[in-house]
Amino acid sequence: MKIGLLNVYSTRNIGDSAIYSALAELSPAPQVSAVIQDTAPIDTPGLQVVESLPACDAYISVGGDIFNNAREWFITKQFLKNLQGLRHAPQKTFVFGQSIPRSCHGLSFRLLAWHFKRLAAVCVRDAESYERLRRVGVPVRLSYDTAFALSSQKVAEQAARDTIEPERAAIISVRLFDQMYQQDNQTFLKKIIELCRSLHQRGHQPVLLIQSEVTTADSDSQAVRTICEAVPTVKVLNIVQNAGDLAGWQFLMGIVAISRLVIGVRYHTSVLRLAANRMPFNLFYSNKGRDLSQRLQIPGASVADFDVDEHIQAIEKTAEMDFDSAPIRAQVQTDFADCLRRVN
């Protein structure tokens, strides 16, 4: 069976790379194929990079918030390009593990719903997206993020132990925000700087992650530099460049599996910590992150409401909290298999 991925983003965003490997793991095919625009793609097990998609038995529209519409009151060329992919073979195409961003509304949302109604199946990862689509008549299924299909590997956990001191490590993923996710960057960075100082004073070793290096607009490096200048005691771990012989997501999962504390601003930092049966503190900025805390009862706060003094003890308590990922993984597997069966 040949399976092609539509609307792929980049392997250099570790969360997206994890999604592509998870889809390969869920698929009956040994590999899934995709056209990747990365000039320097990183290793993604199970993903075959091709110049153009061959004829496939099934197509999966992937990505997370891929249907962001950057200009809210208009429709962007990229948004229309993503819709075009859904028209190639709609009865052989299904959407899996996506969220519908709030930037997609009005005419863009109506266009998206029109296309979704013609697909073999639609499965989203958060309740808000599910309710929005259901209200406009899209036959939609609610599941969880595709990366929950992944498991932590011993070799990755050993590589992590060679890199950090797990009993002291407080892993923090960061990002900057734009018009798609409207947060005040200066306020956010001040909060993370304060968090790093507080964690260090309480005996932890803050470790900042660089989890995405796709474009200037989607790179964690600038945020990390700003925080490091203010708090020189923090350590930095570039997951994109320094995973060694492992895939980036494998190394990241090993890191979050063994670390004492994990504060996830990047959504997949929290997802991979949960998939490794450990509890993160989920510092969310959109509906996908809010959904983790609400549906799975994960400790956390919105970026806007986060207060270091108020939340520091809750962060520390997560060190002793486990999470049972088995039911979530089984749900993702079941939902994927059901969607694939609906392909004609």
Side-chain angles (χ1 to χ4, degrees), residues 6-8 61 66-69 74-90 93 95 98 100 104 106-119 133:
L6 304 174
N7 297 329
V8 295
S61 180
I66 200 69
F67 287 104
N68 255 315
N69 187 46
F74 300 91
I75 298 177
T76 65
K77 290 181 180 179
Q78 184 59 51
F79 186 85
L80 292 173
K81 182 179 178 182
N82 290 338
L83 290 181
Q84 183 179 4
L86 301 181
R87 294 197 295 270
H88 173 65
T93 301
V95 168
Q98 291 188 356
I100 310 304
C104 178
L107 179 58
S108 62
F109 181 65
R110 291 197 295 273
L111 277 172
L112 182 65
W114 187 91
H115 283 79
F116 276 9
K117 289 175 183 178
R118 285 150 180 79
L119 302 181
L133 291 169

Side-chain angles (χ1 to χ4, degrees), residues 104-153:
C104 178
H105 60 81
L107 179 58
S108 62
F109 181 65
R110 291 197 295 273
L111 277 172
L112 182 65
W114 187 91
H115 283 79
F116 276 9
K117 289 175 183 178
R118 285 150 180 79
L119 302 181
V122 176
C123 186
V124 296
R125 63 184 176 181
D126 71 278
E128 182 178 313
S129 297
Y130 170 77
E131 292 296 340
R132 289 182 68 194
L133 291 169
R134 195 172 64 87
R135 283 195 296 267
V136 294
V138 175
V140 59
R141 188 174 190 134
L142 176 61
S143 189
Y144 297 95
D145 188 82
T146 314
F148 274 110
L150 303 171
S151 300
S152 183
Q153 301 174 4

Side-chain angles (χ1 to χ4, degrees), residues 5 8-11 16-24 32 44 47 62:
L5 304 185
V8 295
Y9 175 49
S10 173
T11 62
D16 286 77
S17 179
I19 287 173
Y20 308 149
S21 285
L23 288 168
V32 292
T44 301
L47 177 66
V62 299

Side-chain angles (χ1 to χ4, degrees), residues 187-203:
T187 301
F188 167 69
L189 290 173
K190 284 181 179 178
K191 290 180 179 182
I192 299 299
I193 288 167
E194 184 182 350
L195 173 63
C196 289
R197 287 171 176 161
S198 181
L199 287 167
H200 191 266
Q201 289 168 2
R202 297 167 79 95

